[in-house]
Amino acid sequence: MTEEPRRSPLGEALGAHRRLAETFREEHARVLSVLVTQLRDFELAEDALGDAMAAAAERWPVDGMPREPAGWLLAVARRRAIDRIRRAGTERRRAPLLVVPVAEEPAPGEPAEIPDERLRLLFTACHPALPREAQVAMTLRVVGGLTTGEIARAFLVSEPTMGQRISRAKRKIRDAGIPYAVPEGDELAPRLAAVRAVVYLIFNEGHTASTGARLQRVELQDEAIRLAALLNERLDDDIENAGLLALLLLTAARSPARWRAGRPVPLAEQDRGRWDRDRITRGLALVDDALAGGVAGPYLLQAAIAAEHARATSYDATDWGRIIRWYDLLIGGSGDPVLRLNRAIARMEGGDLRAALADIDALADQLDQFSHFHAARAEVLTRLEHHAPARSALTTAIELTGNAPLRRELARRRAALR
Amino acid sequence: MKYVLLIAEEEGIRNQWSEEEQQADMARWFAYTEDLRSSGALVDGQALHDSTTATTVRVEGGDTLTTDGPFAETKEIINGYYLIDVDDLDAAISWAAKLPTLGAVEVRPVLEFDMPEA
């Protein structure tokens, strides 16, 4: 006997709650960005939006979902903000805000015009007058819509610490008069570079998923991709924005193959069938377009290297010669030791073992304290069949890393050298 | 918004300069001040005598403690300031960046109180 599945009242309530939560997640940043630019006060904007969401949680399940949830939230939040200003008795100081006409709740079917102000908010959150950790936290909070608790867990700090960091940043934005604006003219390029650095940092925090709550960190990675896509969409005449987005897509595409049974899988052993083809296709198209569009900067050049890996059908089919040429462009005059190490590894993979060892040894002074340097040195020594020095390099690499899965992997490699 | 640009420089950094160099320096400061005035941002601004002329006053437990010199012993001292009125921090930073100073500039927003209406 089969029974028609009946929807329980609890099930319906949970379904409605999930739909609400999804809508809030999607609309939060867009509505908040409009409120902040109008009210010029993060705390007031967030409180008012909180009020509006609480009202929505009460009304929507009863009245049904409005056709334009964002418009509804914005209209209610603005009225609540004005109530709060009146209650606090600060109308005089905030009088200019009160003359902005308050939109009535949009009529059913009437599309609400909500401008996308997220880019302004991103530049505000990444303003150089804020400390770097605050830039990261504010970006995730106000542009990504993550809760303080989620951000705290992702960065392995306590919730009160993260809460303080965020509220200090909000106060500084208000009191120091940090503008809600995308800078113009000569100011844009350096500020844009800072914004990209913050997005990249968020991505890396998600990418090195080795400790803590893994899920949260994948979310950070996805959030960074969303932010990079926003930058590239809105400021598309800067090819570095395309480069950053491509780099993140191509790197994230490999994520499903990077871990197996709790241990990191080196690129050479990754199952390429598990790479995310959609992200690779998007990333490759961005790289090709951007490289045709002008002089490449560091993100685009790194994306070009990632693209070579993505194009290769197997590790052995990798075009190491092209990768080395991209590294030459990337290193340029800077001589960054980490980039030079990566170039040496590419030479090793290309089969140029002695040259690679010489390149690596030349970096000893600068990279002696880095586990990755010793691990790379051990690898080239292993391939040259210098087993004893390879073992001792691995021992140093193990001592220098605090990352448990990585330690196990290095120990496994050392044990294989008998 | 009002901001103070506090100019901190190494003491006596211009002492070894020739007469011509010092005059050229003064001309740069006058030109800067004139730019600030004509933009409408200038509220006030003064250069200060050197730190040997400073007196630090501190009241502790009802006693007034007066000591010779600036309040902190550092290589760089505050030797002048501008009070400006501009839209936001970015505008204040760009004025600070144009100062012909040899040291650093601290940009601080002025705390404005809501005064009761008369």
Side-chain angles (χ1 to χ4, degrees), chain A residues 123-389:
Chain A
F123 276 90
T124 308
C126 298
H127 197 280
L130 297 172
R132 182 46 61 84
E133 314 91 74
Q135 294 175 348
V136 169
M138 283 297 283
T139 299
L140 289 170
R141 179 79 197 93
V142 303
V143 194
L146 268 64
T147 66
T148 303
E150 284 169 335
I151 302 166
R153 280 193 294 283
F155 286 88
L156 307 174
V157 300
S158 75
E159 199 169 330
T161 301
M162 188 53 80
Q164 265 175 14
R165 203 177 278 175
I166 291 173
S167 59
R168 209 178 298 135
K170 283 181 195 159
R171 269 203 308 278
K172 179 152 186 191
I173 289 170
R174 187 191 60 205
D175 296 342
I178 289 178
Y180 299 97
V182 179
E184 286 171 1
D186 292 349
E187 284 294 297
L188 180 60
R191 291 282 304 283
L192 188 52
V195 170
R196 282 193 293 256
V198 167
V199 173
Y200 189 60
L201 211 100
I202 290 171
F203 181 85
N204 274 333
E205 195 60 35
H207 191 60
T208 45
S210 52
T211 45
R214 180 99 198 273
L215 186 76
Q216 207 54 64
R217 303 195 147 211
V218 171
E219 256 182 44
L220 283 186
Q221 191 171 299
D222 292 346
E223 191 54 52
I225 289 175
R226 271 195 289 274
L227 293 167
L230 174 71
L231 273 184
N232 185 48
E233 187 189 303
R234 301 286 298 281
L235 295 170
D236 63 357
D237 54 349
D238 190 322
I239 59 171
E240 270 294 84
N241 290 335
L244 174 65
L245 177 57
L247 175 62
L248 303 195
L249 284 167
L250 293 169
T251 311
R254 292 188 220 144
S255 279
R258 281 182 76 226
W259 295 86
R260 193 167 53 217
R263 77 172 183 86
V265 184
L267 186 58
E269 295 163 28
Q270 285 178 17
D271 174 3
R272 293 178 184 228
R274 298 184 63 199
W275 287 2
D276 184 330
R277 282 290 133 198
D278 284 348
R279 283 183 163 171
I280 286 179
T281 308
R282 278 174 70 201
L284 290 179
L286 281 162
V287 170
D288 290 341
D289 268 12
L291 284 174
V295 180
Y299 290 109
L300 182 52
L301 290 169
Q302 288 182 79
I305 293 169
E308 297 296 342
H309 290 299
R311 281 198 181 94
T313 49
S314 69
Y315 194 70
D316 294 335
T318 308
D319 189 338
W320 295 106
R322 282 176 65 93
I323 288 180
I324 290 164
R325 284 198 294 282
W326 289 126
Y327 269 117
D328 287 337
L329 287 172
L330 186 55
I331 292 164
S334 79
D336 180 279
V338 174
L339 291 177
R340 283 166 64 202
L341 177 64
N342 288 339
R343 182 184 182 278
I345 293 169
R347 287 188 94 174
M348 171 185 81
E349 297 293 4
D352 220 345
L353 299 181
R354 294 198 173 280
L357 182 60
D359 287 354
I360 292 172
D361 283 340
L363 296 166
D365 282 352
Q366 286 155 286
L367 297 179
D368 196 46
Q369 292 307 306
F370 289 90
S371 172
H372 189 56
F373 166 78
H374 295 281
R377 196 161 170 275
E379 185 57 32
V380 73
L381 288 167
T382 304
R383 293 188 191 190
L384 285 164
E385 302 198 339
H386 301 330
H387 286 194

Side-chain angles (χ1 to χ4, degrees), chain A residues 92-93 127 129 175-179 191, chain B residues 1 3 88-90 93 109 114-115 117:
Chain A
R92 211 168 42 80
R93 199 175 43 187
H127 197 280
D175 296 342
I178 289 178
R191 291 282 304 283
Chain B
M1 283 184 74
Y3 296 86
D88 56 39
L89 183 64
D90 282 358
I93 289 172
D114 274 333
M115 300 302 264
E117 309 224 22

Side-chain angles (χ1 to χ4, degrees), chain B residues 44-82:
Chain B
D44 188 19
Q46 301 292 340
L48 305 178
H49 280 291
D50 63 46
S51 74
T52 58
T53 65
T55 304
T56 300
V57 179
R58 207 184 283 271
V59 178
E60 277 172 13
D63 295 333
T64 303
L65 226 71
T66 307
T67 47
D68 174 48
F71 85 97
E73 289 295 328
T74 55
K75 210 165 139 206
E76 287 185 330
I77 55 132
I78 302 290
N79 67 356
Y81 72 93
Y82 282 93

Side-chain angles (χ1 to χ4, degrees), chain A residues 3-162:
Chain A
E3 200 179 332
E4 189 74 5
R6 267 185 305 133
R7 303 182 76 188
S8 68
L10 180 64
E12 273 180 36
L14 285 175
H17 184 262
R18 213 176 16 248
R19 276 199 304 284
L20 263 180
E22 274 164 21
T23 308
F24 288 174
R25 173 85 178 78
E26 279 163 26
E27 308 291 4
H28 183 276
R30 215 154 61 95
V31 177
L32 184 66
S33 66
V34 178
L35 280 171
V36 166
T37 44
Q38 289 178 350
L39 301 169
R40 303 194 157 254
D41 184 332
F42 265 106
E43 246 148 85
L44 180 62
E46 285 200 306
D47 289 346
L49 183 54
D51 290 348
M53 284 179 166
E58 240 170 66
R59 299 255 312 264
W60 293 0
V62 182
D63 301 351
M65 193 91 141
R67 196 177 296 241
E68 296 284 346
W72 193 98
L73 288 170
L74 182 60
V76 174
R78 295 204 49 204
R79 277 204 297 270
R80 298 299 170 101
I82 286 165
D83 288 347
R84 279 173 176 270
I85 291 170
R86 295 220 163 101
R87 264 203 314 266
T90 50
E91 295 106 309
R92 211 168 42 80
R93 199 175 43 187
R94 296 176 175 278
L97 306 174
L98 298 172
V99 296
V100 180
V102 179
E104 285 306 312
E105 204 173 306
E110 183 191 316
E113 282 294 324
I114 306 235
D116 189 346
E117 302 277 16
R118 283 175 303 162
L119 201 62
R120 288 215 237 176
L121 220 48
L122 183 57
F123 276 90
T124 308
C126 298
H127 197 280
L130 297 172
R132 182 46 61 84
E133 314 91 74
Q135 294 175 348
V136 169
M138 283 297 283
T139 299
L140 289 170
R141 179 79 197 93
V142 303
V143 194
L146 268 64
T147 66
T148 303
E150 284 169 335
I151 302 166
R153 280 193 294 283
F155 286 88
L156 307 174
V157 300
S158 75
E159 199 169 330
T161 301
M162 188 53 80

